[in-house]
Amino acid sequence: MASAKNFFTTGRNIIAIGRNFSEHAKELGNAVPTSPFYFLKPTSSYLANGGIVEIPKGCEVHHEIELAVVIGKTGRDIKKEDAMNHIAGYALAIDMTARNVQNEAKKKGLPWSTAKGFDTFTPISDFIPKERISDPSNVNLWLKVNDVYRQNGNTKDMIFNVPSLVEYVSSIMKLETGDVMLTGTPKGVGQIVNGDVITCGLRVGSDDKDLVNMRFDVKDRQNSSYSFK
Ligand code: MG
């Protein structure tokens, strides 16, 4: 049965918000949005802490550290005032992106499913009960590659906060127990390559200790029948 706690195996949708931090939108040369937008990622792209992130052949893969919201109660047309009642908790996630594949898709007006949907492209932590994060608008997210900071941001800089995102997405599609919403990445995205080590963590407000952290090795995908040209 679907539950928020075991979203990794029973959740059906990953909803990923794009360009929700203005400094990140600008670093990729995109306009800052005036209304939220999202795309879907397959749940087959989940990767548990400690796993290996695969680089498909020819792909320039970027890390995007994000706060994940885990839905606990199914609903549609959820008002932002009621959003917290539908949220069971959170997780720390990386929205891996084959940037060169995405750039070509943008140019041709094609979907992003390939760029965002490869296996291992959604590394994600265990479930964090919502009581552990009192304010989703004050969460520090950091990511290092080979022990060097790449991203270190705070969810207070989101353009659309978590309740507004729940209201927006649920006005289009129902949000079901176990669904995960990735809420956008702060600035500092960059490439990872074979041999890199990614570490990342999530810290609440002014705490001086991470609530969760994760580590991933990066390897070229073996016997890849896909190749980006
Ligand atoms: Mg993203």
Side-chain angles (χ1 to χ4, degrees):
M1 213 189 101
S3 81
K5 200 166 179 296
N6 61 9
F7 72 88
F8 192 99
T9 44
T10 63
R12 300 209 300 172
N13 284 311
I14 303 173
I15 298 113
I17 308 295
R19 299 171 199 162
N20 198 25
F21 287 75
S22 53
E23 293 303 315
H24 167 65
K26 287 181 206 158
E27 77 183 342
L28 294 183
N30 293 311
V32 175
T34 51
S35 109
F37 86 97
Y38 66 88
F39 52 91
L40 299 175
K41 297 189 77 160
T43 50
S44 49
S45 67
Y46 279 142
L47 177 69
N49 186 14
I52 294 172
V53 174
E54 294 179 338
I55 308 292
K57 213 169 171 184
C59 290
E60 190 181 301
V61 177
H62 278 199
H63 52 79
E64 298 185 356
I65 190 76
E66 309 200 7
L67 175 68
V69 170
V70 183
I71 300 298
K73 190 174 111 188
T74 298
R76 198 169 74 168
D77 298 312
I78 302 164
K79 292 296 159 209
K80 54 175 179 260
E81 298 73 26
D82 192 32
M84 294 311 294
N85 296 322
H86 288 263
I87 294 171
Y90 304 91
L92 178 64
I94 310 175
D95 173 21
M96 290 293 174
T97 306
R99 194 70 69 200
N100 53 348
V101 177
Q102 185 194 35
N103 285 341
E104 186 179 79
K106 281 183 185 172
K107 236 187 302 180
K108 293 183 173 170
L110 293 172
W112 296 2
S113 307
T114 304
K116 296 282 191 177
F118 287 100
D119 292 354
T120 78
F121 266 31
T122 311
I124 194 158
S125 74
D126 287 340
F127 176 73
I128 305 167
K130 78 172 159 188
E131 296 72 34
R132 304 290 304 276
I133 297 181
S134 56
D135 181 7
S137 292
N138 187 12
V139 176
N140 190 254
L141 305 168
W142 65 266
L143 181 145
K144 291 179 182 178
V145 177
N146 305 328
D147 223 23
V148 175
Y149 274 111
R150 293 277 190 88
Q151 296 187 271
N152 192 5
N154 190 291
T155 56
K156 70 175 162 38
D157 295 321
M158 283 181 177
I159 300 168
F160 306 102
N161 66 16
V162 167
S164 311
L165 295 173
V166 168
E167 178 173 292
Y168 178 77
V169 175
S170 73
S171 75
I172 297 157
M173 57 186 275
K174 62 181 174 282
L175 290 172
E176 299 180 304
T177 302
D179 283 352
V180 163
M181 189 166 72
L182 307 180
T183 56
T185 195
K187 69 173 183 216
V189 302
Q191 191 177 7
I192 48 163
V193 296
N194 184 52
D196 282 345
V197 175
I198 302 171
T199 48
C200 56
L202 175 157
R203 197 172 286 204
V204 174
S206 52
D207 283 5
D208 55 6
K209 246 186 80 195
D210 291 331
L211 190 54
V212 294
N213 48 51
M214 304 194 284
R215 182 193 188 279
F216 299 93
D217 288 308
V218 180
K219 302 271 180 234
D220 285 335
R221 180 167 169 168
Q222 295 304 300
N223 308 312
S224 177
S225 49
Y226 177 86
S227 178
F228 181 73
K229 294 185 185 83

